[in-house]
Amino acid sequence: MAKSSPKYQCNECAVILSKWAGQCPECKGWNCIEEIRPVTGGAGPNRGNWVSHKTSTELVTLDSVPDVEAARFSTHLGELDRVLGGGMVHGSVALLGGDPGIGKSTILLQCLTRISEQASALYVTGEESLQQVSLRARRLELPREKLQLLSSTCVEEIVAHATQLRPTVMVIDSIQTIYTDSLQSAPGSVSQIRESTAMLVRLAKQHNIALFLVGHVTKEGQLAGPRVLEHMVDTVLYFEGDSSTRFRVIRAVKNRFGAVNEIGVFAMTDQGLKTVSNPSAIFLAQHEEPVAGSVIMVSREGTRPFLVEVQALVTESHLGNPRRISVGLEANRLAMLLAVLQRHGGVPLYDQDVFINAVGGVRISETGADLAVILALLSSYRDRPIGNRLLVFGEVGLSGEIRPVPNGEERLKEAAKHGFETAIIPSANKPARGFKGMKLITVHRLADALNAL
Ligand code: TYD
Ligand code: MG
C-alpha cells in the first residue's frame, strides 16, 4: 500500500488539515493541531479512521483504580434482577437466548413498558410488526404511553435513532434480523451478526445505554451466529424450560456483573410472565404417599438453594441396546452413575431401560444431584419407596466415594424450612457445629449410602 501523507486535526473543533499550523484556521485556537494517522491493521473500531498517534491513556497500578459500584436499575421483575446480579447495569449489554416461543419478547416488553414510566426506553422490533407488539402490550395491560417503538432492521438507522433519543435502556429483538449496510452478506450471516453487534455494543458504551439483545438458538441450544457474540457482550442469559410446562427459567451463563448459573424462575400465565419467588414449591411434586423412584434433593444453581424432585424409572429392556434417557440432567453423567452403581453398589442395570427426570422442567447442571440420581435408580429398580421426608445431596466419584458439594449448610437450611426431617449427605459436608432440626446421616462411600437406606 502506498504510504499516505500525514494529516493534522484540531483538538478543539476537529477540522482536518493537510499542514500543521500553530493556530487553527477554523476556531482560531492556539497549539491545538496534532498529527493523525490512518488505522490500517486489525479489526478494531477505529479501523479505516484517522486517529491521533499520541496515546491519551495512562498506565496505572491496580490499587490506584477507584472503587466504583456498577450503577444499576431495576427491571421491575425481581427474578430477572436477581439473574442480572441485582438489576441491570447502566451501559451494559445483555444477550438473551432461547427457543422460539419461550417468552423472550414477552418478558422484555413487560420490563421495558414498566421502565419507560420512569426512564426513556426504546424497543426495536425486527421480527414482529408494530401492531403485533402494541396488541400484545394491550392484552397484557401494560402501560403503553411512554415506550418508544421502532420497527427497523438496519443497524445504521437504529444507531441514528438511539443517538438522538439517548434511551436509558434499549431492546433489539432480534439480533439475527439486523444487518449493516457496510456488508453485502444476508442478515443472519455470521459476519452481519458480528458487525451489527459490534456497532450496537459501541453505541451502548458510548452513550451509556443498557442494551438487551434477543438471540435465536440453534437446534442444539447454542446461540445462533458467531461464537464471538458471547464474548462481545457483558452478560449472556438463557431462557430454559419445557414448552409443556408453564415454568420458565432464565439462567446466567456469563455475567461480568454477577454470579453465573444464577437462575430466575418465572411462570407463563395469560397475564404474561410472573416471577416465582419460592421455586422450591414448584419443583417438588406433591405425592400423598411416598412413591418408588422419587428422591428429593436440594440443588444450588447460582446463589440460591432450592428443592428439586429427581425421578427415575428402571424397567426391563427388550432392546439389544437398553435405553438411557435423561431429562433435565446430564446424559453422560447418568451413564457414569450407572457404571458406578454396578461396580461399587453391585446393582447391575445393563439389561434395564433407564429414564431419569428433574421435575418441573428445571435443568440441573451441578454434580450435587449424583447421589439423588443413584438412590432414585435403586428405589425404582427395587420398587421400594424412599420416605418423602428424606433429603439427599452429594457428588459421586468414579471410585464410589461420596464427595462434598459447596454450601452444604445452606442447602440443609432450605430443606429444614420445608419440613424435611432426615438427610443423607457427604461426611465432609457435616456442619462443624451440628445442625438443629434434622437428623443427618453422613456417608463416606456409596456402600454407606445404600446401607443407610
Ligand atoms: P414470545 O415472547 O413471543 O416468545 P419468543 O419471543 O421467545 O419467541 O412468547 C410467545 C409465547 O408465549 C406464545 O407461545 C404464547 C405464550 N404467551 C402466553 O402464554 N401468555 C401470554 O400472556 C403471552 C404474551 C404469551
Ligand atoms: Mg420474539
Side-chain angles (χ1 to χ4, degrees), residues 248-261:
R248 304 279 185 271
V249 171
I250 295 187
R251 184 189 300 265
V253 293
K254 165 184 173 178
N255 195 350
R256 288 186 182 148
F257 305 107
V260 288
N261 271 333

Side-chain angles (χ1 to χ4, degrees), residues 49-61:
N49 292 351
W50 289 75
V51 296
S52 165
H53 65 279
K54 266 198 198 162
T55 74
S56 56
T57 47
E58 291 167 26
L59 301 178
V60 294
T61 57

Side-chain angles (χ1 to χ4, degrees), residues 333 336-337 340-341 344-345 367 370-371 374 394-404 426-427 443-449:
R333 199 99 200 146
M336 190 196 98
L337 293 175
V340 172
L341 188 56
H344 299 283
T367 53
D370 290 355
L371 191 55
I374 285 207
E395 177 180 332
V396 177
L398 282 180
S399 51
E401 79 277 21
I402 308 293
R403 306 158 67 100
S427 2
V443 291
H444 219 70
R445 304 196 48 81
L446 183 61
D448 304 339

Side-chain angles (χ1 to χ4, degrees), residues 52-373:
S52 165
H53 65 279
K54 266 198 198 162
T55 74
S56 56
T57 47
E58 291 167 26
L59 301 178
V60 294
T61 57
L62 268 178
D63 66 344
S64 66
V65 181
D67 267 343
V68 255
E69 260 299 300
R72 296 174 189 266
F73 63 92
S74 168
T75 60
H76 297 264
L77 276 173
E79 288 291 290
L80 185 58
D81 283 349
R82 150 191 279 283
V83 181
L84 289 166
M88 184 70 175
V89 173
H90 285 285
S92 71
V93 182
L95 183 62
L96 177 63
D99 291 333
I102 198 154
K104 303 182 291 298
S105 306
T106 307
I107 196 169
L108 291 177
L109 186 64
Q110 281 180 259
C111 294
L112 246 67
T113 47
R114 303 240 166 80
I115 294 170
S116 72
E117 297 204 291
Q118 284 124 35
S120 146
L122 173 63
Y123 189 100
V124 181
T125 167
E127 279 178 11
E128 292 170 83
S129 67
L130 295 178
Q131 285 75 18
Q132 285 172 311
V133 178
S134 163
L135 202 69
R136 177 179 300 175
R138 185 191 317 231
R139 213 173 49 68
L140 297 180
E141 295 172 10
L142 297 169
R144 292 182 298 145
E145 297 77 30
K146 302 266 181 60
L147 179 63
Q148 300 287 329
L149 269 187
L150 173 66
S151 170
S152 172
T153 52
C154 170
V155 69
E156 281 82 10
E157 205 171 276
I158 297 169
V159 168
H161 278 290
T163 311
Q164 212 170 36
L165 182 70
R166 300 280 178 91
T168 306
V169 53
M170 175 162 131
V171 165
I172 306 285
D173 188 1
S174 66
I175 189 66
Q176 277 82 8
T177 59
I178 306 295
Y179 72 95
T180 159
D181 279 334
S182 61
L183 293 177
Q184 299 294 320
S185 48
S189 65
V190 167
S191 54
Q192 282 285 10
I193 296 180
R194 185 172 46 214
E195 202 56 36
S196 310
T197 308
M199 286 179 74
L200 291 167
V201 169
R202 223 174 301 143
L203 169 82
K205 302 291 168 193
Q206 209 168 20
H207 297 303
N208 205 26
I209 300 172
L211 181 62
F212 283 99
L213 303 174
V214 172
H216 290 178
V217 294
T218 59
K219 252 191 270 151
E220 291 76 40
Q222 298 280 317
L223 276 160
R227 200 64 224 244
V228 39
L229 204 56
E230 299 190 20
H231 295 289
M232 289 160 83
V233 300
D234 299 309
T235 307
V236 179
L237 308 176
Y238 273 98
F239 228 126
E240 301 168 356
D242 205 333
S243 48
S244 57
T245 71
R246 52 193 199 95
F247 297 110
R248 304 279 185 271
V249 171
I250 295 187
R251 184 189 300 265
V253 293
K254 165 184 173 178
N255 195 350
R256 288 186 182 148
F257 305 107
V260 288
N261 271 333
E262 187 72 84
I263 64 168
V265 185
F266 302 86
M268 180 63 98
T269 68
D270 52 359
Q271 302 278 296
L273 284 154
K274 291 261 152 74
T275 61
V276 174
S277 38
N278 182 12
S280 289
I282 63 166
F283 297 129
L284 283 184
Q286 313 291 329
H287 301 297
E288 301 279 307
E289 301 271 301
V291 292
S294 155
V295 171
I296 313 291
M297 69 161 293
V298 51
S299 173
R300 191 174 185 280
E301 302 275 328
T303 60
R304 170 172 56 185
F306 59 94
L307 298 164
V308 184
E309 177 179 346
V310 175
Q311 293 181 335
L313 180 64
V314 179
T315 69
E316 198 181 328
S317 177
H318 299 286
L319 302 171
N321 234 343
R323 275 185 289 187
R324 270 89 180 88
I325 308 279
S326 164
V327 181
L329 293 138
E330 219 194 311
N332 286 339
R333 199 99 200 146
L334 171 63
M336 190 196 98
L337 293 175
L338 286 170
V340 172
L341 188 56
Q342 171 161 352
R343 181 75 167 70
H344 299 283
V347 184
L349 297 177
Y350 53 82
D351 54 354
Q352 307 281 326
D353 284 333
V354 173
F355 305 88
I356 55 168
N357 175 31
V359 171
V362 67
R363 190 168 63 81
I364 308 289
S365 54
E366 61 143 4
T367 53
D370 290 355
L371 191 55
V373 169

